Amino acid sequence: MMRRELGIARCGLACCLCSENAECGGCHSDSCPGITQCENRRCSAEKGLSHCFACEKDCKKGLLSKIKPYAFTLFVKRYGMDRLLDCLEENEGRGVVYHREGIVGDYDDFDDAEQLIAFIKTGKR
């Protein structure tokens, strides 16, 4: 179930849809399990940015080396955070699953960021 108030992590992962840790308060909280080792959190904080999508660089450091957070970051750069959250919420209603088995779900079965961005918009392949 989407917890919209948790939003999107600094790297682009959807804290709002994560089922990995029910006690986690999201990337911007002190309860984030990856707080000490997250390269994206450290880098964006050092630059004074709230998220990687606020950076002008096209970066693939840390979790941005993975297609899902990278495409989510590109989506926010183009369309904004609210549009991403709206699409994720609509897709959840359509049966699109963020975490199906462990941390793998419907958004993970892509190897092209543009195809994933199209999927985010429609929930359809």
Side-chain angles (χ1 to χ4, degrees), residues 11-65:
C11 66
L13 288 174
C15 292
C16 60
L17 290 173
C18 180
S19 59
E20 191 175 336
N21 182 348
E23 285 78 46
C24 180
C27 178
H28 294 281
S29 74
D30 291 336
S31 65
C32 174
I35 195 169
T36 56
Q37 70 267 20
C38 180
E39 183 176 2
N40 301 101
R41 181 186 175 107
R42 185 181 64 254
C43 180
S44 59
E46 285 172 1
K47 292 180 177 182
L49 302 172
S50 64
H51 294 81
C52 293
F53 64 72
C55 186
E56 43 191 61
K57 290 186 179 177
D58 183 27
C59 175
K60 292 198 177 179
K61 279 199 276 191
L63 285 170
L64 291 174
S65 66

Side-chain angles (χ1 to χ4, degrees), residues 103-124:
I103 60 168
V104 177
D106 296 330
Y107 295 101
D108 294 288
D109 193 23
F110 291 86
D111 49 15
D112 179 84
E114 296 305 324
Q115 288 176 353
L116 178 49
I117 288 169
F119 178 72
I120 293 166
K121 290 180 180 178
T122 65
K124 297 181 181 137

